[in-house]
Amino acid sequence: MGIAGLTTFIDENQQLLKDFRLHDTSLIIDGNNVYHFLYYYFQVSHHFGGDYNIFAEKCVFFFNQLAECNIKPFIVFDGAYDNSGKKLKTAMKRATDRIHLASMLSHGGRGKILPILAQETFVAVLKSLGIPHVTCNFEADNQIAALAIKWHCPVLTNDSDFFIYNLPSGVVLLDYMNLKVVERSDCRYMNVQMFYVSNLMKELNTDDSKIVALFATLLGNDVIDGRIFEPFFTRSNLPRKKCSLQSVRSNAKFARLVGWLHSIHDFPTAVSIVLSYLLTEKQEDVKEMILKSVMGYTDLKCELDGYFTDSCFTEPVKSLEENVLPQWYIDGINKSEIPVFTLNAVTLRRVILLCQVEMMNESSAYQCSLNIRQFIYAILLSVDNADDSKNKERLRVSEHDRENKHLKCKTVKPLWSLDDDRPVPSLDQLPSLAVVDRQNLLLDVLKVPRDDLMKFPLNTQLTIATIIFWVQNAMPKVSALHLEALLVCSVKLGILSSALKQTLSGLNDDNLAFSENVISRLEAFASKPHHNHAVKFDGTIIHIFSQFQSCLRSSVYANQLLLLPFPSLDPAQVFNGTFLYNFYRELRGRKDPDLYVNELFGRGTSVSLAFADLRTAIRSLMPEGSLLTVASSLAVKNKKKKKIKEADHKQNNIDVFETKSECELATYCDINNKFSCLEIEDN
């Protein structure tokens, strides 16, 4: 997670960076770092829960640009938190900060939080493009550095920890990477800035990488808290200027520390001097932490090289109670086919549920997907279950989740048996179960009848089952307008389009072309909405769809853990938060929302009839009364106007613009006017 202030220090000292033309090379990419960077670099909207289809398009563009320059990417992701607790403590601090940002966003304020399905979307892009990737069992930094050294290639990241590793081929900084491809007669390349640790070593007057690692350790990192060394910094009278490096905006101790290390000739001497300023009874423990931190940067063992040549990690991974986890499960983690969330649950029995844009006075959006997670925990914790009732009672997973505006820890009991008292299978048993049995397990948890679901195309079944689960478990309840918006969004993005095409399979090309025209009309609702004193930001809309995201995330995780009895689900084909927000408001502003959707799809056309059949079929799977009935805002306005009319009989004063939509999108498309798209372009 980096060294606080070090990136700023490097920014202030540009002589440590070198302009470089990047091309014709392998490139080890810090996976967790890069998908965060790309989401914000391309300014993909996060205000309404995530626009995953847009994010996927930008990721494809990024990798295409690398391919143009003959750069071969290898992506490495972090695994679970280790049992030291240091990373977990930092992660919980960030989760707390995220709640405050989410609270501001839920009222139309500013802030940045990465949508919760961004990584799943990114991994789906990697798989579709055939880009090699791996998820480590635990933290990835050391493995990334070791592989870069062995392969003699650079690392792409913004993580300041990589400024400390002795990487001869350098570190490419994401913040200084120009994605524009420059073409010359001999090659195509990208302009980047490269950091070489050798430049920092010159300033430190050393060729010993341990001195550089000590520099990072004294500043504080994920292994050791830098505040431990405050007595050294305050009492040692470090030189104010003994090197060419400056530290203007950041803490001045960076440059002073470089100046001091410049005069130290060996690592043991430096450590002894630092320890001499600490209390005697603490020196031995601190020395051990210093050595552990330094070894983390300098004593590297490469395990990833074998993975990328089709062999796997050799070290067994154990549960919290030291039971070895099945190799097929760890292979699934390494291939990014099973989520790291499950590895945290089984090795630490502790998970962090990252807050979404949601209303803080309501229950957490994760509450409605609790049953699915309990099912997941039962499978995972079976490795520590001695198969007796007393042992089961003590097995719990600690969930760190939002309660109002605070991060709270709750212990969650696994779902050991299903409604008919059938036991949930163990982790060891899953590979031997037939596909249909694994499908039935998940559908039993989602409480969706198998026979009714089988009439839909296979690739849509998990999405439809999740929608039904969401409708039955969300609180506040889902309305018919929320459901309608989500169905239209899923058709637009692709996951439910196959259900329509199945209905339209016997139709002529004109009807299919018309369906493509409908999709293009829907693009108007993907634009950023405008708010003012008359059209207020409405966080309650986002909250309902955040509940759907939590259900989608949990059902995707359960499907992955069950070895994909249903086809893998790509969030980019299901969810666009901006579209959902806009389209729901449009429906709420219509006197007859169903009629509006029918007209949008072309009333009486095959596409419109097919969508109506799809809507009816999905609603038929829900118990009666599942959906909340909401009167449209236009109907409410009309009712008020009728009362006014009856009271004063002054028709000339009645507002004649009753059919105007509440949504007031920046790009409005009149579906009854075939020339209205010209107005969109003019605007």
Side-chain angles (χ1 to χ4, degrees):
M1 294 182 182
I3 301 158
L6 184 54
T7 300
T8 302
F9 180 66
I10 299 298
D11 286 340
E12 293 167 352
N13 295 276
Q14 290 288 307
Q15 65 268 38
L16 295 175
L17 301 173
K18 180 181 178 181
D19 291 335
F20 190 85
R21 294 175 177 176
L22 190 68
H23 62 93
D24 298 292
T25 182
S26 295
L27 184 66
I28 312 300
I29 297 180
D30 180 349
N32 296 75
N33 208 270
V34 79
Y35 72 73
H36 277 79
F37 171 82
L38 291 175
Y39 202 98
Y40 297 131
Y41 176 84
F42 287 111
Q43 300 179 345
V44 182
S45 175
H46 57 277
H47 301 84
F48 307 99
D51 293 354
Y52 298 115
N53 60 315
I54 304 298
F55 179 51
E57 291 170 5
K58 300 303 183 183
C59 292
V60 170
F61 170 80
F62 170 74
F63 287 112
N64 285 342
Q65 294 299 92
L66 295 183
E68 284 282 309
C69 302
N70 196 28
I71 299 169
K72 299 176 182 177
F74 294 85
I75 318 298
V76 184
F77 294 104
D78 284 324
Y81 304 117
D82 61 39
N83 55 16
S84 70
K86 179 69 177 178
K87 287 271 191 180
L88 185 63
K89 184 178 179 181
T90 304
M92 285 196 287
K93 170 65 168 61
R94 292 184 175 182
T96 299
D97 294 340
R98 182 180 168 107
I99 292 173
H100 297 302
L101 290 171
S103 177
M104 290 188 289
L105 286 167
S106 68
H107 292 89
R110 295 184 177 182
K112 285 183 179 181
I113 61 172
L114 189 76
I116 62 170
L117 294 173
Q119 182 171 2
E120 282 67 35
T121 304
F122 184 70
V123 171
V125 170
L126 298 181
K127 291 178 178 178
S128 68
L129 297 178
I131 294 173
H133 58 281
V134 61
T135 300
C136 295
N137 296 333
F138 299 100
E139 187 183 3
D141 288 7
N142 288 2
Q143 290 302 312
I144 292 173
L147 184 62
I149 292 170
K150 186 164 187 177
W151 284 7
H152 305 287
C153 67
V155 171
L156 178 64
T157 185
N158 265 341
D159 188 340
S160 55
D161 272 323
F162 287 94
F163 297 146
I164 307 303
Y165 292 106
N166 189 6
L167 304 177
S169 298
V171 178
V172 180
L173 301 181
L174 281 164
D175 282 341
Y176 292 111
M177 186 177 191
N178 188 337
L179 295 183
K180 182 179 179 181
V181 175
V182 180
E183 187 166 358
R184 295 184 56 178
S185 58
D186 55 340
C187 69
R188 294 174 178 173
Y189 65 87
M190 290 180 182
N191 285 310
V192 303
Q193 283 198 299
M194 190 85 77
F195 173 86
Y196 294 100
V197 74
S198 56
N199 292 332
L200 181 57
M201 293 173 77
K202 288 177 184 177
E203 297 293 341
L204 294 170
N205 192 32
T206 184
D207 57 3
D208 185 357
S209 58
K210 288 184 179 180
I211 294 292
V212 182
L214 180 62
F215 170 72
T217 301
L218 296 178
L219 293 172
N221 56 21
D222 293 331
V223 176
I224 190 166
D225 191 334
R227 290 175 293 184
I228 292 174
F229 304 110
E230 280 306 309
F232 165 71
F233 283 105
T234 56
R235 294 164 48 201
S236 62
N237 195 27
L238 295 179
R240 292 198 173 274
K241 190 169 183 180
K242 203 170 181 178
C243 67
S244 62
L245 302 182
Q246 304 296 317
S247 188
V248 179
R249 298 194 305 273
S250 60
N251 196 313
K253 71 180 181 182
F254 280 76
R256 294 175 65 191
L257 183 58
V258 171
W260 177 73
L261 289 171
H262 186 277
S263 63
I264 301 298
H265 298 293
D266 61 86
F267 174 74
T269 300
V271 174
S272 297
I273 293 173
V274 171
L275 293 175
S276 68
Y277 287 92
L278 308 182
L279 294 175
T280 304
E281 59 269 24
K282 293 184 177 181
Q283 289 182 8
E284 200 59 39
D285 288 342
V286 174
K287 181 179 180 180
E288 186 177 335
M289 286 190 288
I290 290 174
L291 295 178
K292 180 181 178 181
S293 173
V294 170
M295 291 287 282
Y297 290 113
T298 58
D299 186 22
L300 304 177
K301 178 184 176 183
C302 183
E303 296 178 335
L304 291 183
D305 181 47
Y307 179 85
F308 283 117
T309 55
D310 294 331
S311 60
C312 298
F313 292 96
T314 56
E315 289 291 327
V317 180
K318 298 181 180 180
S319 70
L320 186 66
E321 297 186 8
E322 294 294 305
N323 292 305
V324 177
L325 298 175
Q327 190 58 49
W328 69 263
Y329 169 75
I330 297 302
D331 288 346
I333 294 287
N334 299 153
K335 294 175 182 177
S336 306
E337 294 173 351
I338 298 176
V340 168
F341 172 89
T342 64
L343 193 56
N344 279 318
V346 72
T347 59
L348 294 178
R349 291 196 198 148
R350 190 177 299 272
V351 297
I352 300 175
L353 304 176
L354 295 177
C355 181
Q356 303 180 68
V357 181
E358 47 191 281
M359 302 306 293
M360 298 297 144
N361 60 330
E362 299 285 357
S363 298
S364 165
Y366 290 99
Q367 188 61 35
C368 67
S369 58
L370 176 61
N371 284 355
I372 309 177
R373 295 197 304 279
Q374 289 178 297
F375 169 71
I376 291 172
Y377 298 153
I379 294 174
L380 295 168
L381 269 56
S382 66
V383 298
D384 292 332
N385 183 18
D387 202 24
D388 64 82
S389 57
K390 289 184 179 180
N391 188 54
K392 284 184 177 180
E393 283 302 314
R394 70 178 179 80
L395 296 176
R396 298 285 190 276
V397 173
S398 296
E399 289 189 341
H400 296 269
D401 191 11
R402 176 188 70 79
E403 185 177 297
N404 296 321
K405 292 185 180 181
H406 303 284
L407 188 68
K408 299 287 186 179
C409 180
K410 301 176 184 177
T411 56
V412 175
K413 181 181 178 181
L415 181 70
W416 295 113
S417 58
L418 302 172
D419 286 345
D420 56 359
D421 291 330
R422 281 184 298 127
V424 171
S426 68
L427 193 62
D428 287 324
Q429 292 172 332
L430 291 185
S432 63
L433 296 179
V435 171
V436 66
D437 293 330
R438 286 180 275 126
Q439 286 180 342
N440 288 336
L441 274 171
L442 185 49
L443 293 180
D444 286 345
V445 174
L446 297 177
K447 294 182 172 26
V448 177
R450 175 184 175 82
D451 292 342
D452 293 336
L453 191 66
M454 291 301 111
K455 60 189 174 185
F456 297 100
L458 180 62
N459 71 316
T460 69
Q461 290 171 8
L462 183 59
T463 301
I464 292 171
T466 303
I467 290 172
I468 295 167
F469 179 87
W470 164 61
V471 168
Q472 295 184 74
N473 289 274
M475 189 59 64
K477 290 185 70 173
V478 176
S479 73
L481 301 185
H482 291 108
L483 176 62
E484 190 84 343
L486 185 58
L487 294 180
V488 173
C489 181
S490 298
V491 168
K492 174 185 180 294
L493 298 181
I495 192 65
L496 292 186
S497 61
S498 60
L500 285 185
K501 289 177 181 177
Q502 178 174 283
T503 307
L504 298 170
S505 58
L507 302 180
N508 58 41
D509 292 341
D510 290 340
N511 282 311
L512 293 176
F514 180 80
S515 68
E516 294 299 320
N517 187 37
V518 170
I519 301 300
S520 67
R521 289 176 182 177
L522 295 174
E523 284 300 322
F525 299 98
S527 302
K528 180 181 178 180
H530 293 278
H531 300 101
N532 52 43
H533 68 281
V535 183
K536 304 289 187 181
F537 184 91
D538 192 347
T540 60
I541 301 172
I542 307 170
H543 184 90
I544 297 292
F545 291 120
S546 290
Q547 292 185 89
F548 173 72
Q549 281 210 73
S550 82
C551 295
L552 185 65
R553 179 179 184 257
S554 293
S555 63
V556 165
Y557 285 1
N559 188 48
Q560 291 172 333
L561 183 60
L562 291 170
L563 300 173
L564 297 179
F566 295 100
S568 183
L569 198 157
D570 181 1
Q573 292 189 322
V574 181
F575 197 93
N576 180 299
T578 302
F579 179 92
L580 288 167
Y581 180 84
N582 286 332
F583 198 71
Y584 173 85
R585 292 205 315 168
E586 181 74 26
L587 294 177
R588 191 174 63 183
R590 292 283 169 174
K591 187 174 182 179
D592 188 338
D594 283 351
L595 177 61
Y596 171 73
V597 173
N598 289 338
E599 289 179 341
L600 186 67
F601 283 108
R603 195 194 315 185
T605 65
S606 301
V607 177
S608 176
L609 295 174
F611 180 80
D613 289 344
L614 175 65
R615 176 207 294 142
T616 301
I618 292 176
R619 286 186 180 181
S620 70
L621 299 179
M622 302 173 186
E624 189 173 348
S626 296
L627 293 169
L628 182 69
T629 302
V630 178
S632 74
S633 59
L634 184 58
V636 173
K637 290 178 183 177
N638 288 343
K639 188 175 181 180
K640 290 180 180 178
K641 290 175 181 178
K642 184 177 180 181
K643 289 181 179 179
I644 295 171
K645 182 177 179 180
E646 290 173 351
D648 57 20
H649 301 286
K650 294 181 180 180
Q651 295 187 20
N652 292 336
N653 293 329
I654 300 299
D655 186 355
V656 297
F657 297 101
E658 293 181 359
T659 58
K660 184 176 180 181
S661 164
E662 175 194 89
C663 190
E664 296 187 15
L665 292 168
T667 52
Y668 175 74
C669 184
D670 181 358
I671 62 170
N672 296 314
N673 179 0
K674 64 181 179 180
F675 299 111
S676 63
C677 290
L678 298 176
E679 297 177 24
I680 294 174
E681 294 299 323
D682 291 340
N683 288 337

